[in-house]
Amino acid sequence: MTQLGYFAPDRLTDALALLAEHGRDLTVLGGGTDLMPAVNTYRFRPKGLLFVGNLGLGEISEQDGHLLIGAAATWSQLEASEVAARLTPALVEAVKISSTGAVKNSATVAGNLATASPAADLALPLLTLATEVRLASQSGERWVALDDFFVGPGQTVMKPDELITTIRVSAATGPQVFMRLGGRRALTCAVVNVAVALEHEGKTCTAAKIALGAVAPTPIRCFAAEALLRGSLLLPDVVESCATEALAASQPIDDGRASAWYRKRAGHALVSRALVQAGGGWT
Amino acid sequence: MKYTLSFTLNELPVEVLVRPTDTLLDVLRQELLITSPKRGCDTGDCGACTVLMEGVPIRACLTLALTAVDKKVTTVEGLSQQGVLHPVQEAIHEAGASQCGFCTPGMVLAIESLLRHNPQPSRENVEQALTGNLCRCTGYVKIVDAALTAAQRIATAGSGEQVGE
């Protein structure tokens, strides 16, 4: 098995030094909910493991109206966080309906981004909330917008010596919604998932962000659909054309969970419902 | 390459040699011969390997053994006190909520954890708490019934003690 072995440093500088030395040969372990199934079923054999749970990065806090999520913070922590419930309700909803207790107790928020699953549930509300990811390495740190973070299935812009240390989320001022469709309600990978964040003045939508998952190589923003909403009333025909435009940005595939054909149609329905729900209180 | 792992298992200190990629489930079952956590799927889907770490339910199959260092791990073997079943175990037993028994240890620990945080759960709360525990005998109705019975008994026993004091 592993030539390098297992490391569980308790200082970030030590973790970054290990990453600088070993790069991609070290696999970062957060909650293990994605990594361990691959290890257990012999799909992946890590050369070395770097556990980040002892680095003191498990905090969830508020700073200048932003939600800060430490790299080791778990889904359960987020679900129980009053700050998160107040600032980012759609993110908390995604945690509530996308997994189950014992898995949420281990799974980290940062891990959901770093594994870069096209269906990553938390990535969608985060994409609609102007999220930035802080990446640290021995040569310094940088902030990357989540919009620029994902490259492809399992691939991100992170360099081999970089580690996520913090996720910074902007508080939405308007309504935000997360919805997902799976083979069943509990504990399944999404067939399609969607997040919407809107802002409005009176009955006019002034800003919109829409993100779709499981319909492209990465979670995606639907920029053309968002543009349609700006300055519009949330009328049924606007919702309809917005959903159509959102799915035009998708490139779904057939796989074991659903066909591309189904994903397009289910995605259209989910975007429509999410918009109607987000517009529920003011249109 | 092996590492020495020390942790507390059912209130007793244990020390065991583990490989870096061993899961807590591997170590419990194969090294420590604690066989109540079951290997159902090895991918975190079935809940049969649920154990408590620091009182919190986790999947033993998704937990790298070495991350359990110095932690308190509890399995159903550690739940009964001096040969007396825990109220959740007792309720499951009486309700006939265990058919083949494979899912039962995970169910018991998931229910025990729920009742510690929410002593008077609704039926929906129980169902929600058990979404990650699969029973392929499909005995869910009796399992949920048993959880509600256990909640009542714990509440009654609790108030009884107060009266006694």
Side-chain angles (χ1 to χ4, degrees):
Chain A
M1 122 83 217
T2 59
Q3 300 98 308
L4 294 176
Y6 169 79
F7 303 95
D10 49 20
R11 292 190 315 172
L12 182 61
T13 49
D14 295 340
L16 297 179
L18 284 163
L19 280 174
E21 187 184 344
H22 300 295
R24 279 196 209 288
D25 287 345
L26 267 188
T27 300
V28 173
L29 171 70
T33 56
D34 198 66
L35 175 63
M36 294 315 292
V39 172
N40 293 346
T41 55
Y42 306 101
R43 281 182 285 126
F44 178 67
R45 181 179 290 232
K47 288 187 178 154
L49 288 164
L50 175 65
F51 178 55
V52 295
N54 295 342
L55 296 176
L57 297 174
E59 292 275 307
I60 293 177
S61 59
E62 181 179 3
Q63 190 184 69
D64 307 327
H66 289 77
L67 179 71
L68 297 185
I69 304 169
T74 63
W75 286 40
S76 290
Q77 278 174 264
L78 191 58
E79 186 171 7
S81 162
E82 286 171 30
V83 179
R86 179 160 43 82
L87 300 180
T88 60
L91 182 60
V92 175
E93 174 71 4
V95 168
K96 279 199 174 120
I97 66 175
S98 302
S99 185
T100 189
V103 176
K104 286 189 270 198
N105 289 337
S106 301
T108 63
V109 181
N112 198 238
L113 300 181
T115 55
S117 161
D121 288 291
L122 303 192
L124 302 176
L126 289 174
L127 277 170
T128 64
L129 296 170
T131 297
E132 293 172 295
V133 179
R134 181 159 67 183
L135 303 177
S137 72
Q138 256 192 339
S139 48
E141 62 172 42
R142 59 179 176 137
W143 286 94
V144 176
L146 193 59
D147 281 322
D148 304 324
F149 183 74
F150 300 113
V151 174
Q155 294 176 309
T156 71
V157 297
M158 285 173 70
K159 297 191 182 114
D161 64 340
E162 284 182 321
L163 194 66
I164 296 178
T165 55
T166 313
I167 299 162
R168 183 168 64 193
V169 194
S170 301
T173 49
Q176 36 179 300
V177 171
F178 172 80
M179 287 183 178
R180 81 196 297 277
L181 176 72
R184 61 190 187 115
R185 263 193 301 172
L187 199 56
T188 56
C189 192
V191 164
V192 56
N193 41 10
V194 60
V196 166
L198 303 181
E199 284 172 45
H200 62 94
E201 277 171 25
K203 296 194 171 193
T204 305
C205 183
T206 52
K209 286 186 180 170
I210 302 171
L212 269 173
V215 292
T218 68
I220 56 168
R221 282 273 302 281
C222 307
F223 295 104
E226 294 171 4
L228 275 183
L229 284 179
R230 276 193 291 275
S232 297
L233 301 172
L234 214 56
L235 299 169
D237 60 325
V238 176
V239 169
E240 170 68 24
S241 42
C242 180
T244 303
E245 197 65 47
L247 269 296
S250 71
Q251 313 154 259
I253 57 166
D254 296 330
D255 68 12
R257 295 196 301 280
S259 65
W261 180 92
Y262 181 74
R263 285 191 157 97
K264 282 256 186 198
R265 278 147 190 82
H268 188 282
L270 273 197
V271 172
S272 307
R273 284 179 207 171
L275 288 172
V276 168
Q277 186 175 320
W282 47 280
T283 51
Chain B
M1 190 189 293
K2 288 215 174 185
Y3 293 76
T4 306
L5 166 66
S6 326
F7 64 103
T8 304
L9 175 60
N10 298 327
E11 303 193 359
L12 291 173
V14 291
E15 197 171 279
V16 60
L17 282 178
V18 304
R19 287 180 298 253
T21 51
D22 281 345
T23 63
L24 184 57
L25 182 62
D26 296 328
V27 172
L28 288 174
R29 288 187 61 85
Q30 283 147 236
E31 305 298 327
L32 299 167
L33 307 181
I34 291 289
T35 53
S36 71
K38 300 290 187 274
R39 190 186 304 280
C41 64
D42 241 359
T43 53
D45 293 304
C46 77
C49 70
T50 303
V51 301
L52 305 181
M53 191 188 268
E54 301 289 315
V56 175
I58 54 156
R59 299 280 203 252
C61 79
L62 296 180
T63 305
L64 198 78
L66 286 167
T67 63
V69 62
D70 296 338
K71 297 272 168 62
K72 283 183 191 163
V73 175
T74 308
T75 66
V76 288
E77 284 88 345
L79 211 56
S80 54
Q81 298 289 330
Q82 286 135 16
V84 179
L85 291 180
H86 185 278
V88 174
Q89 293 173 301
E90 198 178 68
I92 293 237
H93 170 65
E94 285 172 19
S98 180
Q99 293 185 51
C100 83
F102 197 87
C103 72
T104 309
M107 292 284 183
V108 168
L109 291 174
I111 295 167
E112 190 275 339
S113 170
L114 166 72
L115 298 186
R116 244 185 304 128
H117 294 100
N118 181 2
Q120 290 178 304
S122 65
R123 195 166 189 93
E124 197 189 342
N125 293 152
V126 175
E127 288 170 356
Q128 190 68 39
L130 296 179
T131 51
N133 292 77
L134 302 185
C135 166
R136 295 295 81 167
C137 304
T138 71
Y140 292 111
V141 172
K142 287 180 176 176
I143 293 167
V144 176
D145 288 347
L148 295 169
T149 305
Q152 273 176 1
R153 285 198 188 149
I154 292 170
T156 312
S159 61
E161 273 164 28
Q162 275 166 13
V163 171
E165 282 161 12

